[in-house]
Amino acid sequence: MDGATQKPAAGRRSPKRPSMADVAAMAGVSSQTVSRVVNNRSNVEEETRQRVLSAMRVLGYRPNTAARALVTGQFRTLGLISFGLGSFGNARTVDAVTKAAQRAGYTVNMIAVESQTERAVHEAFDQLTVQAVDGIVVIEAQILDTPALRLPPDVPVVMADGDVSLRHPMVDTDQALGARLVTRHLLDLGHETVWHVAGPEDSYAARRRAESWHATLKEADAAVPQMLFGDWTAASGYEAGRVLTRRPGVTAVFAANDQMALGVMRAMIQAGRRIPEDVSIVGFDDIEESAYLSPSLTTVRQDFDVVAERIVSLMIDQIETGTAPAATTFVAPQLIVRESTSAPPTG
Amino acid sequence: MDGATQKPAAGRRSPKRPSMADVAAMAGVSSQTVSRVVNNRSNVEEETRQRVLSAMRVLGYRPNTAARALVTGQFRTLGLISFGLGSFGNARTVDAVTKAAQRAGYTVNMIAVESQTERAVHEAFDQLTVQAVDGIVVIEAQILDTPALRLPPDVPVVMADGDVSLRHPMVDTDQALGARLVTRHLLDLGHETVWHVAGPEDSYAARRRAESWHATLKEADAAVPQMLFGDWTAASGYEAGRVLTRRPGVTAVFAANDQMALGVMRAMIQAGRRIPEDVSIVGFDDIEESAYLSPSLTTVRQDFDVVAERIVSLMIDQIETGTAPAATTFVAPQLIVRESTSAPPTG
DNA sequence: AGACTCCGTGTTTACGTAAACATGGCGAAG
DNA sequence: CTTCGCCATGTTTACGTAAACACGGAGTCT
């Protein structure tokens, strides 16, 4: 308390935030000692530390991230590129990644790319690398596969849902396992085969689900009906459902996500089919609504929290050690059986 | 082309990113001139500019945000505090705010607060102000009302959904109007009164919807039935719905969001009630699924894009001019009439 | 008892950028 | 023909922090 407070500055507007030097002056130490206290270094005497802490409190000191990042070269920030929070899976992933990153002491800088054009993705990358991030998480970006797309080589990247062959590590739900569980479930119930409403053709997740559905049918020597395509929306599921109502012998439908399943359900119900007595329907994702539909929807639940946890830890490994294990991690999903599936109608 | 490239550094790992000085050396100008080119200042001769641009391209130069922020005091980044992307409204708002911010040249730094405790919110604020943001957008934070909560006074704040009385500007959907539209719609159909399943008591949005429902019934001289409370989830709506099935004379239910409405629907259907013949049900939000439920759900659509646009422009006004108009902006929602509402059963 | 070590602290420096100020040349105005 | 002023560019400086190095004093080992 030597009364050296020059600009105490109450709640006024921006009379310049106090710096380490201000804190140092008030505590009667060098700014380096303040730095040591802020960073929890061991070699500061307890009494000194307390004096510094109290000065920090009095002045309302907050470290300046820009200055710190400038000198350390680290931002403790992750960039996150996604294609909108519209889809349930994306929203859950973004949410989980954000929370996992926070737990690891990182902040998340989000970019929502409006379209899947190469240019848009490129711009997003530019914005992030110009911006200050230590690494970039890309969610569901099929376009990145384009060989022409040159990612900045000096920033670690982890992908959530993408192609396995890329040179970046990837973490995803085991889509193939999920689709297999669904298909086997329906076959085991006695259905002769299973129809599939797939997601968009350029989605890796959709493709893997479809391939696994196909393979599982083959293994079981079941006929493989022609696949229909949607775009993840309930509207597209509804369209596909209307097509299916006109095909004879459809007793089991596997939609690649819950929203399309909902659309299929509506089309079936409008056509007078009962679910599950006439047609069994399965979705994928387990959105919150699925348990409360009438009938409730059998589906596959992905463990987004585990996926996010792995993404973040891979990211941080890369940032801190520089290693880039270009491997793929799959997280097992879980089949949730509800009311929308049953044995096929007899006769 | 004087061959002065010292460390061309192909795709190797982190051989130090080029700085303005490197670009300047290659282009044969001072670093200040490079700075002028980067910032699109007018007073640079075209030929010089081209030489600098080409050097930047060759070296793969990217401005260092930390250094720039350190000297300008601006980060061109908005902090965004939300309570998870689980709810549809939050996810849509975050998505829209992110996109609006991007259009304005700002990046969004997201913090997902896990719990609504004062401590958690405080930590989020700390993390953001320690982190580098020019302003903070808070989504649906009832807790901020606590008088004890002292926000850092030197950072502009805009709230999305909160109490009107606060000293920060706020933007929100006109919840009262939405609830009034719903209630009037049901009364106009001939229902004697409307039951209400409200959101959590500590949510301002829920409270405003409930108050408006109440007021509209009063105005119409309709009886005001006892209100039920949920927590926005379909599960809580289902519980409320089961209670309602036991009450006599329930012909119209207004749930404070679509997911609770879905829960109510399921409870009604399970109890053998037909929708809308026996009971009309209305939700709020217009989630994508609502149009494809069977029956499809009458609901209220919020214009999240407009809300986000206003939030961001208010934010940027505050940042750039320093003014803080502590006013509230309401954006009108829209009633979407679908199959789940009709005239009450006769007799 | 003397040399050696470690601990708490201070001093100097670098990080990359943009603002502020400085400079020289060239055209316009008198 | 001189002077003024503007334009393109260069030079110097400040931003706030942490790393690197420096230094004195107290304890330890022989």
Side-chain angles (χ1 to χ4, degrees):
Chain A
M1 309 247 194
D2 54 355
T5 40
Q6 305 173 342
K7 316 168 186 175
R12 210 79 50 69
R13 190 157 262 301
S14 66
K16 184 163 139 341
R17 308 225 311 213
S19 74
M20 277 192 170
D22 301 321
V23 175
M26 171 176 266
V29 297
S30 75
S31 67
Q32 185 55 41
T33 298
V34 176
S35 169
R36 285 191 261 256
V37 170
V38 169
N39 294 304
N40 272 315
R41 296 305 170 75
S42 53
N43 43 348
V44 178
E45 207 174 343
E46 186 53 28
E47 193 218 308
T48 311
R49 172 188 308 277
Q50 287 308 330
R51 214 157 15 123
V52 170
L53 285 174
S54 125
M56 283 179 16
R57 230 172 294 122
V58 171
L59 294 175
Y61 169 76
R62 305 191 170 252
N64 179 318
T65 313
R68 174 180 292 176
L70 178 58
V71 74
T72 62
Q74 299 243 340
F75 301 90
R76 300 202 67 79
T77 295
L78 262 34
L80 180 57
I81 298 185
S82 85
F83 297 91
L85 267 32
S87 98
F88 173 80
N90 275 7
R92 283 285 287 117
T93 305
V94 168
D95 190 43
V97 167
T98 303
K99 286 174 176 164
Q102 267 171 256
R103 260 174 261 128
Y106 278 74
T107 275
V108 169
N109 220 153
M110 197 168 80
I111 300 245
V113 179
E114 311 230 9
S115 71
Q116 281 260 9
T117 64
E118 193 173 322
R119 194 169 138 275
V121 176
H122 243 134
E123 270 171 14
F125 261 92
D126 279 3
Q127 197 171 344
L128 280 178
T129 53
V130 159
Q131 206 59 27
V133 299
D134 300 312
I136 298 181
V137 177
V138 183
I139 297 180
E140 202 198 1
Q142 31 277 57
I143 199 80
L144 284 180
D145 208 20
T146 313
L149 191 85
R150 212 179 41 99
L151 300 188
D154 50 355
V155 180
V157 172
V158 175
M159 319 252 305
D161 179 3
D163 195 0
V164 185
S165 66
L166 283 172
R167 65 190 180 295
H168 304 291
M170 196 193 86
V171 182
D172 199 0
T173 296
D174 191 339
Q175 312 287 355
L177 173 58
R180 170 180 314 277
L181 290 173
V182 170
T183 312
R184 280 253 45 106
H185 168 62
L186 290 166
L187 292 176
D188 290 348
L189 282 171
H191 294 271
E192 285 189 9
T193 189
V194 177
W195 293 68
H196 184 47
V197 180
E201 298 192 60
D202 57 0
S203 156
Y204 287 112
R207 198 183 301 167
R208 280 200 291 271
R209 289 173 199 173
E211 285 167 358
S212 175
W213 157 80
H214 189 279
T216 308
L217 287 182
K218 281 273 190 187
E219 279 168 26
D221 279 327
V224 179
Q226 203 194 342
M227 181 163 53
L228 287 80
F229 289 95
D231 62 3
W232 299 130
T233 64
S236 69
Y238 179 72
E239 290 308 318
R242 303 215 353 174
V243 171
L244 288 175
T245 56
R246 288 183 226 113
R247 303 260 165 94
V250 176
T251 66
V253 180
F254 165 32
N257 76 346
D258 284 359
Q259 294 176 7
M260 293 196 297
L262 181 61
V264 173
M265 273 181 60
R266 180 164 172 85
M268 289 293 173
I269 288 170
Q270 277 190 339
R273 311 284 175 89
R274 290 165 306 158
I275 301 170
E277 293 83 355
D278 299 326
V279 189
S280 288
I281 296 182
V282 183
F284 206 108
D285 275 354
D286 193 26
I287 63 179
E288 199 215 339
E289 290 80 5
S290 297
Y292 291 90
L293 299 175
S294 305
S296 58
L297 184 66
T298 294
T299 187
V300 175
R301 180 182 298 161
Q302 307 189 48
D303 197 334
F304 293 104
D305 293 324
V306 170
V307 170
E309 205 66 68
R310 302 241 172 115
I311 288 173
V312 171
S313 74
L314 271 175
M315 194 79 247
I316 290 175
D317 279 0
Q318 271 194 86
I319 292 170
E320 289 176 358
T321 72
T323 61
T328 297
T329 310
F330 284 122
V331 176
Q334 185 188 357
L335 180 70
I336 308 285
V337 179
R338 297 208 182 92
E339 297 166 358
S340 67
T341 50
S342 73
T346 52
Chain B
M1 314 245 183
D2 53 355
T5 40
Q6 304 173 344
K7 314 167 185 174
R12 209 80 50 69
R13 189 158 264 299
S14 67
K16 185 164 135 351
R17 309 223 312 212
S19 74
M20 277 193 171
D22 301 321
V23 175
M26 170 175 268
V29 298
S30 76
S31 65
Q32 185 56 42
T33 299
V34 177
S35 168
R36 285 190 262 256
V37 171
V38 169
N39 294 305
N40 273 315
R41 297 303 171 77
S42 53
N43 42 346
V44 178
E45 208 174 341
E46 187 53 28
E47 192 218 307
T48 311
R49 172 189 307 278
Q50 287 308 329
R51 213 157 16 118
V52 170
L53 286 174
S54 123
M56 282 178 15
R57 230 173 294 121
V58 171
L59 294 175
Y61 169 77
R62 305 190 170 255
N64 179 317
T65 314
R68 174 179 292 176
L70 179 59
V71 73
T72 62
Q74 298 244 340
F75 302 91
R76 301 202 66 80
T77 295
L78 261 35
L80 180 57
I81 298 184
S82 85
F83 297 90
L85 267 33
S87 97
F88 173 79
N90 275 6
R92 284 285 287 115
T93 306
V94 168
D95 190 43
V97 167
T98 303
K99 287 174 176 162
Q102 265 171 256
R103 260 174 261 128
Y106 279 73
T107 276
V108 170
N109 219 155
M110 197 168 79
I111 300 245
V113 179
E114 313 230 9
S115 70
Q116 280 259 10
T117 63
E118 193 173 321
R119 193 169 139 276
V121 176
H122 244 134
E123 269 171 14
F125 261 91
D126 278 3
Q127 196 170 346
L128 280 178
T129 51
V130 159
Q131 205 59 28
V133 299
D134 299 313
I136 297 181
V137 177
V138 183
I139 297 179
E140 202 197 2
Q142 31 277 64
I143 199 80
L144 284 179
D145 209 20
T146 313
L149 191 86
R150 213 179 41 99
L151 301 187
D154 50 356
V155 180
V157 172
V158 176
M159 318 251 306
D161 179 3
D163 195 359
V164 185
S165 66
L166 283 172
R167 64 191 180 293
H168 305 291
M170 196 192 86
V171 182
D172 197 0
T173 295
D174 191 338
Q175 312 288 356
L177 173 58
R180 170 180 315 278
L181 290 173
V182 170
T183 311
R184 280 253 45 105
H185 168 62
L186 290 166
L187 292 175
D188 289 349
L189 282 171
H191 294 270
E192 286 190 7
T193 189
V194 177
W195 293 67
H196 184 48
V197 180
E201 298 192 61
D202 57 359
S203 156
Y204 287 112
R207 196 183 302 168
R208 279 200 290 273
R209 289 173 199 173
E211 284 167 358
S212 175
W213 157 80
H214 188 279
T216 308
L217 286 182
K218 282 273 190 186
E219 279 168 26
D221 278 327
V224 179
Q226 203 195 341
M227 180 163 55
L228 286 80
F229 289 96
D231 62 3
W232 299 130
T233 65
S236 70
Y238 179 70
E239 290 308 319
R242 301 207 6 167
V243 171
L244 288 175
T245 56
R246 287 184 228 114
R247 303 262 165 94
V250 175
T251 65
V253 181
F254 165 32
N257 76 346
D258 284 0
Q259 295 175 8
M260 293 196 298
L262 180 61
V264 172
M265 273 179 61
R266 180 164 172 86
M268 289 294 174
I269 289 170
Q270 277 190 340
R273 312 284 175 90
R274 291 165 304 157
I275 301 169
E277 293 83 355
D278 299 325
V279 189
S280 288
I281 296 182
V282 182
F284 206 109
D285 275 354
D286 193 26
I287 63 179
E288 198 215 338
E289 290 79 6
S290 297
Y292 291 90
L293 299 175
S294 305
S296 59
L297 184 65
T298 294
T299 187
V300 175
R301 180 181 296 163
Q302 307 189 48
D303 196 335
F304 293 104
D305 292 324
V306 170
V307 170
E309 206 67 67
R310 302 243 172 114
I311 288 174
V312 170
S313 73
L314 271 174
M315 193 80 246
I316 291 175
D317 279 0
Q318 271 195 84
I319 292 170
E320 290 176 357
T321 71
T323 62
T328 298
T329 310
F330 285 122
V331 177
Q334 185 188 358
L335 180 70
I336 309 285
V337 178
R338 297 209 182 93
E339 298 166 359
S340 67
T341 48
S342 72
T346 52

